Amino acid sequence: MSVLKYEQIKVNAALEKELAAMPAPLRDIVGHVLLAGGKRLRPLMTLSSARLFGAEDAGLYDLAVIPEMIHVATLLHDDVLDGAATRRGRASAHVLFDVPRAILAGDALLAAASHKTASFGIPALLTCVSESVLMTASGETHEIALQHSMAHSTAEYVDVIAGKTGWLLRGSCRLGALYAGASPEQVEAVSDYGLNLGIAFQMVDDALDFADEAETGKPTAGDLEEGKFTPPIMKYVEFLNHPDREKFCEKFRAGTFTPEERSKVASDIRRLGFDAESRALADEYLDRAERSLEKLPQRFEQKIFREALGFVRNRKS
Ligand code: FPP
Ligand code: MG
């Protein structure tokens, strides 16, 4: 069995334990998303970071589930905000249950994650978790403010994704280092690694938005409907000739693409290679992440951090 598979099993067992400890009315809806087979990248980062700095004890999995609980909370809220019908190949929680319960399930998971963090009695862990949640909410709010607008630059897009995705991956890595008592310089280096990995992760996610739902488990071209001006869409707009561009921009601003138009744009984007070109933008951030690794101890976990770079670069779902 691969190290990754082994860790996923251990993390899933720890998540099941968290779910069982939740008040009964929350269990169905929280379990629907929490146990829906995510990649568990964030817990793996926390475990690897803690071990890289010499921590190894039974409490590590309790620490590692914290960023996953926050991640799942953001997904519950995100699918409501995006009106997304599917997630991880299943009906979204707000569709299967309803919007109020999906929001409350996210709130409950955030509270459970804070409770778990507090249980370690290390104030720096709470600071790390709260700043990660704060910056995630800020990034998402920034994104909402820009929705259906085509006036912003790639740099502003990077600001948004650093907030909504980068900060929680940063927090996942930082949490392990703080727990293990790493030096301030090492805590910053592993945090930079996580932030840049997260930016790259979201760039690849935004390229994958145009893949088939059968591959990703999420609606194809959801970003078009949601008015998110991501790199594949920026490239597509540049490619269109004048009258087509005008029509496209009008629909993007109004959010009025039909499902047929969305699937046509998605297949055009794939055929023209704009998803692959957008994926390549992630390389700069993966390189930055890799450079941060040079400042970290040379132990086995470095290999996992390096493999995570390749995983993000090449992932198909
Ligand atoms: C997925 O992006 C969404 C996020 C990475 C962050 C969502 C954050 C919130 C809803 C903010 C508030 C929530 C909490 C609990 C702090 P996406 O919609 O581009 O990706 P997707 O295709 O996976 O939906
Ligand atoms: Mg979404």
Side-chain angles (χ1 to χ4, degrees), residues 40-47 49 63-76 78 88 109-110 113-114 117 125-140 159-176 190-199 201-202 305:
R40 311 309 188 203
L41 176 64
R42 292 157 190 82
L44 185 66
M45 294 294 102
T46 307
L47 289 170
S49 174
L63 187 75
V65 292
I66 294 168
E68 189 68 10
M69 291 161 82
I70 298 170
H71 173 56
V72 169
T74 71
L75 298 183
L76 278 155
D78 183 64
R88 294 176 171 172
L109 268 170
L110 279 186
S114 304
T117 311
L125 300 185
L126 263 178
T127 305
C128 171
V129 163
S130 23
E131 72 189 358
S132 305
V133 173
L134 188 68
M135 294 307 286
T136 305
S138 167
E140 184 72 11
D159 268 1
V160 166
I161 64 173
K164 77 172 193 174
T165 308
W167 270 78
L168 185 53
L169 265 159
R170 173 188 184 272
S172 309
C173 295
R174 192 176 178 91
L175 209 52
V190 84
S191 301
D192 285 348
Y193 165 86
L195 180 68
N196 286 303
L197 183 77
I199 293 172
F201 184 92
Q202 189 61 45
F305 281 135

Side-chain angles (χ1 to χ4, degrees), residues 74-75 77-84 86-87 140 143 164 202 205 209 218-219 222-223 226 228:
T74 71
L75 298 183
H77 288 183
D78 183 64
D79 286 339
V80 171
L81 291 172
D82 290 348
T86 50
R87 163 78 61 189
E140 184 72 11
E143 180 173 80
K164 77 172 193 174
Q202 189 61 45
D205 208 68
D209 192 61
K218 300 188 285 194
D223 288 345
E226 294 150 23
K228 295 177 185 166

Side-chain angles (χ1 to χ4, degrees), residues 11-23 26-27 30-31 34-35 59 61-66 68-69 108-109 111-117 119-120:
V11 167
N12 285 342
L15 288 169
E16 277 178 38
K17 199 179 76 183
E18 292 312 312
L19 184 65
M22 285 204 137
L26 289 160
R27 275 181 224 143
V30 170
L34 195 66
L35 304 180
Y61 290 94
D62 285 330
L63 187 75
V65 292
I66 294 168
E68 189 68 10
M69 291 161 82
L109 268 170
S114 304
H115 188 271
K116 187 113 211 117
T117 311
S119 73
F120 286 90

Side-chain angles (χ1 to χ4, degrees), residues 196-216:
N196 286 303
L197 183 77
I199 293 172
F201 184 92
Q202 189 61 45
M203 284 179 166
V204 172
D205 208 68
D206 292 340
L208 278 171
D209 192 61
F210 296 93
D212 274 343
E213 179 160 358
E215 284 172 48
T216 62

Side-chain angles (χ1 to χ4, degrees), residues 142-284:
H142 190 178
E143 180 173 80
I144 292 169
L146 298 178
Q147 236 168 342
H148 297 289
S149 152
M150 302 174 109
H152 52 277
S153 61
T154 307
E156 197 161 9
Y157 160 76
V158 173
D159 268 1
V160 166
I161 64 173
K164 77 172 193 174
T165 308
W167 270 78
L168 185 53
L169 265 159
R170 173 188 184 272
S172 309
C173 295
R174 192 176 178 91
L175 209 52
L178 290 169
Y179 178 76
S183 72
E185 294 74 24
Q186 289 176 325
V187 169
E188 292 316 319
V190 84
S191 301
D192 285 348
Y193 165 86
L195 180 68
N196 286 303
L197 183 77
I199 293 172
F201 184 92
Q202 189 61 45
M203 284 179 166
V204 172
D205 208 68
D206 292 340
L208 278 171
D209 192 61
F210 296 93
D212 274 343
E213 179 160 358
E215 284 172 48
T216 62
K218 300 188 285 194
T220 302
D223 288 345
L224 261 191
E225 188 173 16
E226 294 150 23
K228 295 177 185 166
F229 197 41
T230 59
I233 303 176
M234 293 177 188
K235 289 175 191 294
Y236 187 67
V237 170
E238 271 171 37
F239 154 82
L240 289 174
N241 59 25
H242 182 66
D244 288 344
R245 184 184 297 179
E246 285 296 293
K247 268 188 254 159
F248 181 91
C249 293
E250 210 176 291
K251 288 187 181 208
F252 184 87
R253 291 200 186 92
T256 51
F257 290 104
T258 63
E260 294 71 32
E261 286 168 336
R262 283 206 305 277
S263 92
K264 162 90 171 63
V265 173
S267 68
D268 282 352
I269 283 181
R270 291 198 303 261
R271 182 175 49 82
L272 295 161
F274 296 151
D275 55 342
E277 279 179 28
S278 305
R279 197 183 255 270
L281 293 177
D283 284 346
E284 179 187 339

